[in-house]
């Protein structure tokens, strides 16, 4: 089914703003190909987020796929298609890795409009004010939890990573309280271990920040804040750069609560780490 046929089929189910986008897309396909979502939104007299939501309503992964669908449709109609992309770097036009990075940038851009800014600021404040931050990620989410745990440890004290197979798990859960913040990655909706921990944490009045792959994740019923970063038709590889960019933004928002304090701690941490590395090298030389 062509993009035009898809739009006509779903038109009656679209919101008023999305219908404006639909009409603009069908009337100005080459403009959509040549410009970003923000410019299309401006010309269609809607917000950029409305353009992105229109893409999802069409069961597309984002704006880049909309451009690809339109280009494919015009090619099938023997129309001359301008090749000017939103990102004009010549290397990105011709290289495969450039196309992947361009898609990552667009996915991040699309996600920005799905994040509740007030909720992100609240989450960052909970992290800043917490006596202890716990981070939990099971199965494929362990690598994300590892990165966030290490990064936060360079900025503040009392950052601990929960592991479902750890002998200290029960003790760590018992130590949680009202001044604890738990950041949980829930990429697998069937992770019963993660769900059980979050249930207990909620009973202990812990601030729970859930980062999920879907707004329908069962974790949402227990979380104080939910950020659903998974998008329609996206592979897990597509979500990874979006997730790391989001974590970076969350950390930067936390740092903004007291930049001087966090910068001082980070400098101190790096100095200690450098001294430890020097001692390790010195010991190795003595051995040989």
């Amino acid at each position: 089914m062509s993009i035009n046929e898809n739009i006509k089929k779903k038109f009656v189910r679209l919101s008023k703003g999305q219908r404006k986008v639909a009409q603009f897309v069908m009337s100005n396909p080459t403009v959509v190909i040549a410009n970003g979502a923000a410019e299309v939104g401006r010309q269609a007299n809607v917000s950029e987020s409305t353009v992105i939501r229109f893409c999802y309503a069409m069961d597309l992964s984002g704006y880049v796929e909309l451009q690809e669908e339109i280009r494919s449709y015009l090619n099938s109609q023997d129309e001359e298609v301008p090749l000017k992309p939103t990102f004009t770097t010549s290397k990105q036009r011709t290289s495969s890795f450039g196309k992947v990075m361009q898609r990552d940038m667009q996915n991040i851009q699309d996600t920005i409009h799905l994040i509740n800014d007030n909720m992100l600021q609240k989450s960052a404040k909970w992290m800043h004010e917490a006596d202890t931050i716990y981070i939990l990620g099971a199965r494929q989410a362990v690598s994300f939890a590892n990165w966030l745990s290490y990064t936060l440890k360079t900025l503040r004290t009392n950052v601990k990573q929960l592991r479902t197979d750890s002998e200290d798990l029960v003790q760590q859960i018992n130590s949680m309280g009202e001044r604890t913040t738990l950041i949980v990655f829930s990429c697998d909706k069937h992770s019963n271990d993660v769900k059980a921990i979050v249930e207990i944490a909620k009973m202990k009045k812990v601030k729970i920040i859930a980062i999920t792959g879907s707004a329908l994740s069962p974790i949402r019923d227990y979380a104080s804040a939910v950020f659903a970063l998974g998008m329609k038709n996206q592979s897990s590889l597509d979500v990874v750069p979006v997730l790391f960019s989001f974590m970076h933004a969350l950390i930067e928002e936390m740092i903004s609560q007291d930049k001087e304090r966090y910068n001082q701690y980070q400098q101190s941490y790096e100095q200690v780490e450098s001294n430890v590395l020097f001692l390790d090298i010195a010991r190795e030389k003595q051995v040989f």
Side-chain angles (χ1 to χ4, degrees):
M1 183 184 298
S2 70
I3 184 64
N4 271 22
E5 291 172 337
N6 193 21
I7 290 173
K8 291 175 183 177
K9 180 180 178 182
K10 298 179 179 178
F11 190 82
V12 294
R13 299 201 297 268
L14 300 177
S15 67
K16 184 178 179 180
Q18 291 169 359
R19 289 182 182 182
K20 287 185 178 181
V21 179
Q23 292 170 336
F24 184 88
V25 168
M26 289 191 290
S27 301
N28 306 275
T30 56
V31 174
V32 178
I33 292 174
N35 294 277
E39 177 59 21
V40 167
R42 188 187 69 79
Q43 293 193 36
N45 198 29
V46 298
S47 66
E48 183 178 357
S49 60
T50 299
V51 177
I52 302 306
R53 289 188 173 90
F54 165 77
C55 296
Y56 297 153
M58 292 298 105
D59 290 323
L60 304 174
S61 62
Y63 187 74
V64 170
E65 189 174 358
L66 173 64
Q67 291 175 310
E68 293 171 353
E69 287 290 323
I70 293 172
R71 184 178 285 107
S72 175
Y73 172 73
L74 293 180
N75 284 336
S76 70
Q77 301 297 308
D78 295 324
E79 299 272 354
E80 183 178 349
V81 183
L83 299 178
K84 179 184 176 185
T86 305
F87 301 94
T88 56
T89 304
S90 59
K91 198 168 187 178
Q92 288 182 326
R93 286 202 301 267
T94 57
S95 63
S96 59
F97 79 84
K99 291 178 182 178
V100 173
M101 295 177 73
Q102 180 179 328
R103 187 172 70 243
D104 288 345
M105 287 187 286
Q106 188 62 57
N107 286 338
I108 292 171
Q109 187 69 33
D110 291 352
T111 305
I112 290 172
H113 304 286
L114 303 178
I115 295 173
N116 185 310
D117 184 55
N118 290 333
M119 191 58 69
L120 187 140
Q121 291 181 29
K122 281 184 180 180
S123 298
K125 188 175 182 180
W126 293 335
M127 293 165 63
H128 172 68
E129 295 177 347
D131 289 341
T132 306
I133 295 177
Y134 283 99
I135 301 168
L136 172 62
R139 302 181 186 179
Q140 68 266 44
V142 169
S143 59
F144 305 134
N146 288 343
W147 183 87
L148 184 59
S149 176
Y150 173 79
T151 303
L152 286 176
K153 285 178 181 178
T154 68
L155 294 166
R156 55 158 293 156
T157 58
N158 295 329
V159 175
K160 302 177 182 181
Q161 187 170 348
L162 291 173
R163 299 184 184 276
T164 56
D165 58 351
S166 171
E167 295 180 356
D168 299 327
L169 181 61
V170 174
Q171 181 180 350
Q172 289 177 319
I173 294 174
N174 284 336
S175 69
M176 293 180 180
E178 293 184 20
R179 292 188 60 82
T180 301
T181 294
L182 169 63
I183 303 173
V184 54
F185 295 90
S186 179
C187 299
D188 184 350
K189 63 182 180 181
H190 302 298
S191 181
N192 293 324
D193 291 341
V194 171
K195 184 180 177 182
I197 293 171
V198 172
E199 285 182 21
I200 297 171
K202 182 180 181 180
M203 289 189 290
K204 296 174 75 64
K205 298 183 179 180
V206 172
K207 298 291 190 304
I208 303 169
I209 303 169
I211 302 172
T212 76
S214 168
L216 300 178
S217 169
I219 300 298
R220 73 186 187 281
D221 296 330
Y222 308 98
S224 311
V226 179
F227 298 97
L229 303 184
M231 291 181 277
K232 287 186 178 180
N233 301 328
Q234 279 193 326
S235 69
S236 57
L237 285 176
D238 285 330
V239 175
V240 168
V242 174
L243 183 52
F244 276 104
S245 181
F246 172 77
M247 288 192 290
H248 184 193
L250 186 61
I251 290 170
E252 288 293 339
E253 190 67 32
M254 181 193 75
I255 291 173
S256 70
Q257 307 287 320
D258 191 342
K259 288 185 177 180
E260 184 177 354
R261 168 186 147 188
Y262 286 110
N263 287 337
Q264 288 178 351
Y265 188 91
Q266 188 174 41
Q267 291 173 8
S268 175
Y269 181 93
E270 291 174 351
Q271 183 61 49
V272 171
E273 192 175 54
S274 177
N275 291 340
V276 170
L277 178 61
F278 175 79
L279 291 173
D280 288 341
I281 294 173
R283 291 194 191 99
E284 287 179 3
K285 288 183 177 180
Q286 289 177 354
V287 170
F288 290 102

